[in-house]
Amino acid sequence: MEMIARNPTSGLYTTSPDYIHALEVRHPSRLLFVSGTMGLDQQGIAAADLEGQLELIWSNLRAILTSADMTVASIVRLTSYLRDGAFMEANQNARLRALGGRAVPTTAIIVETLHDDWLVEIEIIAAG
């Protein structure tokens, strides 16, 4: 499988270092579509703060990826659902740490979550 960043500099706005416009995936043998994943522990309880929820989300995502014999390097698309726009920077920093600085196509959306104590939810697409 080959991944090629498609980040044209002519004809549209430039990206920041943390994301790219598109990622071409050539010859994947399988795709994994992951539901929105929350910062919940094994008992289904949300961490008390944003940092704790982000840590749990990425731990949960790594567990899901591992179950499919994939890693965070397999992520080709990411969407974050934030309860508050003020969470954008912390979410971005957590994503960059989790991905080792690798940029992927990403979107952040401000939403009202299903439960008041859910501060962020992340869904991904991975390819292997």
Side-chain angles (χ1 to χ4, degrees):
M1 182 178 77
E2 183 180 9
M3 293 186 203
I4 303 166
R6 297 296 181 190
N7 222 15
T9 57
S10 178
L12 77 158
Y13 57 92
T14 59
T15 61
S16 60
D18 69 311
Y19 83 100
I20 55 178
H21 285 299
L23 183 65
E24 181 179 347
V25 181
R26 293 185 179 178
H27 312 293
S29 59
R30 56 205 177 95
L31 297 173
L32 178 69
F33 296 85
V34 180
S35 295
T37 302
M38 284 78 65
L40 307 178
D41 65 18
Q42 290 185 8
Q43 289 71 43
I45 299 170
D49 62 9
L50 180 62
E51 289 299 326
Q53 288 192 26
L54 287 165
E55 186 176 314
L56 279 171
I57 285 171
W58 283 102
S59 176
N60 293 340
L61 288 171
R62 283 190 289 277
I64 294 166
L65 288 162
T66 298
S67 77
D69 293 321
M70 294 181 173
T71 69
V72 294
S74 305
I75 296 172
V76 297
R77 176 80 175 109
L78 184 146
T79 303
S80 298
Y81 301 93
L82 308 173
R83 186 157 186 84
D84 189 313
F87 300 162
M88 187 178 74
E89 186 175 355
N91 181 61
Q92 173 186 354
N93 292 339
R95 183 182 75 249
L96 289 171
R97 278 191 309 274
L99 297 180
R102 185 171 69 91
V104 298
T106 184
T107 300
I109 303 169
I110 309 304
V111 299
E112 182 178 336
T113 54
L114 297 176
H115 293 273
D116 290 342
D117 57 346
W118 295 356
L119 305 178
V120 59
E121 184 174 341
I122 295 176
E123 67 180 18
I124 60 171
I125 300 172

